[in-house]
Amino acid sequence: MPQDAYIYDSIRTPRGKKKNGSLHEITPTDLLAKLMTHLQKKHNLDTAGIDDVIIGCVTPIGDQGGNIGKTASQYAGWDVDVPGMQLNRFCASGLEAINTAAMKVRSNWENLIVAGGVESMSRVPMASDGGSMAFEPKVNLHTNFVPQGIGADLIATIEGFTRTELDNYALASHQKAVNATKKNYFSSIVPIKDQNGIMLLDFDEHIRSDTSLESLGQLKPSFEEIGGLGYDAVALSKYPQVESINHLHTAGNSSGIVDGASLTLIGSLKKATELEISPKAKIIAAATISTDPTIMLTGPGPATKKALKMARMNINDIDLIEINEAFASVVLRFINDVGIESLDNINVNGGAIAMGHPLGATGSMLMGTVLDELERRDLTTGLITLCVAGGMGIATIIERV
């Protein structure tokens, strides 16, 4: 008989900008370790009782290489008995870490796990680890690979989204994030200090309070040039019903490149009682899927439908939804896919367009964000979903307890 997996807590760092960002001086190992120390002190954890540490990281090389999950726990001074691992499901890595932890607990083999993710994108640039998906010609020719931005523009073209619609969505993301920051809605944020105790960052510094439709409208399309180098032709060969791709995504209506880390503490109800911790929520269902890898970013809808079916729920049973704003068209396509009539319960405090997308950490960050808001509004159910490279998608449904 499987036991339920509970979320005891979910915390995160602020997101630091890539260019002249406040977290650049902190290594990803140190960033994770600071969260681990905070989590240990907050709950008075005897770390010898932690069965595993699972950390998502999309670019596990350089500062982020060498099993950062184990390295960070050692650097944090956790007990030598604590094992650790790193996993990579591209942008889903942070949520996949949580889902994997939940599976371990549900199996009854383990009872207390720290899951999360990290990405220091100012220190380890995206795609630093290479890989045949994007960089081996015979592979990407065979698989009809195009960069994600081309996929996002292809979605916008097929769905008939306009530049104004995408920019309007981006503007709303910034406005909601500005409001949430001013009102301290992100209670899961742990301020980051340097080794001398000097405050480095206690808010998401990628948010722009001066964003306007006019400023967004002045930005040039980010993927038109690379599309003209042959990637548009690859996408059009897969989607011959499309005459040409409208390049509508810019730096303003796409997710920001940032640094950040997040941790979620997961365990059984029995372990929570032993530790005298009151769980915040229960993980009801978790799903992964894969769709066409060329358009690449349509996974959130099918993944959500799969998770809802597992949970015997429908989309109207979900109080709050957090979908990663990789690109504005991804969210708008998701709304069409699952039949949502309004944006009222989606990314209510903004998303990655405003705050940034630290690849391996985002899924776990979204867990903390939805928990913060469920508690603030005294609501019950939450959904977290992300599009994923290679055409994959991921979704997790939680219920407050």
Side-chain angles (χ1 to χ4, degrees):
M1 184 76 178
Q3 63 180 350
D4 288 323
Y6 290 85
I7 299 169
Y8 300 168
D9 202 357
S10 190
I11 60 174
R12 69 174 178 92
T13 69
R15 296 170 173 95
K17 294 187 297 184
K18 178 184 178 183
K19 186 176 181 180
N20 301 319
S22 299
L23 297 182
H24 175 70
E25 69 179 79
I26 305 293
T27 67
T29 295
D30 196 10
L31 205 58
L32 270 176
K34 290 179 187 300
L35 285 184
M36 290 175 172
T37 299
H38 178 89
L39 193 68
Q40 178 186 2
K41 290 179 178 178
K42 181 178 180 180
H43 297 288
N44 193 28
L45 290 177
D46 176 3
T47 58
I50 296 172
D51 292 310
D52 206 356
V53 171
I54 307 172
I55 299 299
C57 181
V58 176
T59 316
I61 193 171
D63 285 349
Q64 295 175 167
N67 190 354
I68 196 169
K70 176 58 177 170
T71 305
S73 63
Q74 286 182 297
Y75 185 63
W78 283 13
D79 195 279
V80 295
D81 289 343
V82 180
M85 65 177 286
Q86 171 268 327
L87 60 77
N88 180 8
R89 197 189 285 278
F90 298 127
C91 296
S93 298
L95 191 58
E96 181 64 27
I98 290 172
N99 293 349
T100 301
M103 294 174 200
K104 285 170 167 275
V105 172
R106 284 179 61 82
S107 74
N108 233 334
W109 286 8
E110 295 179 0
N111 287 286
L112 185 65
I113 301 169
V114 175
V118 65
E119 209 80 33
S120 290
M121 301 180 76
S122 70
R123 300 181 66 93
V124 185
M126 188 163 42
S128 296
D129 57 339
S132 58
M133 177 183 283
F135 296 109
E136 188 173 349
K138 69 179 181 182
V139 173
N140 52 57
L141 183 64
H142 179 75
T143 59
N144 296 300
F145 168 84
V146 299
Q148 289 190 10
I150 302 296
D153 285 339
L154 179 59
I155 290 172
T157 302
I158 291 173
E159 298 292 325
F161 301 141
T162 66
R163 171 70 182 269
T164 300
E165 286 178 295
L166 301 182
D167 285 352
N168 270 319
Y169 183 85
L171 176 62
S173 182
H174 279 278
Q175 290 173 334
K176 289 186 285 188
V178 168
N179 178 67
T181 300
K182 285 181 178 178
K183 295 182 178 179
N184 296 315
Y185 287 170
F186 300 125
S187 56
S188 54
I189 287 182
V190 176
I192 297 299
K193 300 178 181 179
D194 69 9
Q195 61 187 8
N196 299 311
I198 297 172
M199 180 65 68
L200 293 177
L201 191 63
D202 60 358
F203 65 96
D204 296 309
E205 68 177 341
H206 189 271
I207 304 168
R208 293 182 61 94
S209 60
D210 60 348
T211 300
S212 66
L213 276 181
E214 182 180 7
S215 64
L216 289 170
Q218 292 173 355
L219 297 173
K220 295 181 180 180
S222 297
F223 308 103
E224 186 170 23
E225 183 175 349
I226 195 171
L229 296 177
Y231 285 118
D232 277 6
V234 172
L236 293 173
S237 70
K238 195 78 177 289
Y239 291 84
Q241 70 272 29
V242 178
E243 186 173 331
S244 62
I245 295 176
N246 300 323
H247 290 288
L248 305 176
H249 284 89
T250 68
N253 55 35
S254 307
S255 56
I257 298 173
V258 294
D259 300 336
S262 183
L263 294 176
T264 299
L265 185 61
I266 297 168
S268 63
L269 189 59
K270 179 182 178 182
K271 193 68 175 181
T273 302
E274 290 177 10
L275 297 174
E276 299 183 346
I277 295 175
S278 296
K280 291 176 176 283
K282 179 168 59 175
I283 296 175
I284 301 298
T288 51
I289 57 89
S290 189
T291 60
D292 173 42
T294 300
I295 201 167
M296 195 178 294
L297 307 171
T298 59
T304 292
K305 291 177 181 178
K306 183 177 179 181
L308 287 169
K309 185 177 180 179
M310 285 182 190
R312 299 181 181 179
M313 301 169 74
N314 64 60
I315 195 65
N316 295 322
D317 295 322
I318 303 298
D319 292 321
L320 293 176
I321 297 170
E322 286 290 329
I323 173 172
N324 186 38
E325 295 174 353
F327 301 90
S329 66
V330 171
V331 183
L332 300 182
R333 167 67 184 255
F334 168 78
I335 291 168
N336 290 344
D337 280 351
V338 298
I340 296 173
E341 295 183 359
S342 78
L343 291 166
D344 290 349
N345 70 335
I346 297 177
N347 296 0
V348 295
N349 291 324
I353 289 174
M355 292 180 280
H357 174 27
L359 306 178
T362 301
S364 182
M365 285 187 166
L366 296 182
M367 181 64 75
T369 300
V370 79
L371 277 170
D372 286 347
E373 195 64 13
L374 286 172
E375 290 177 348
R376 193 182 72 82
R377 298 189 182 201
D378 195 22
L379 296 174
T380 303
T381 55
L383 165 75
I384 304 96
T385 184
L386 299 92
C387 60
V388 189
M392 295 182 286
I394 190 169
T396 302
I397 297 171
I398 65 168
E399 180 181 83
R400 281 183 64 211
V401 295

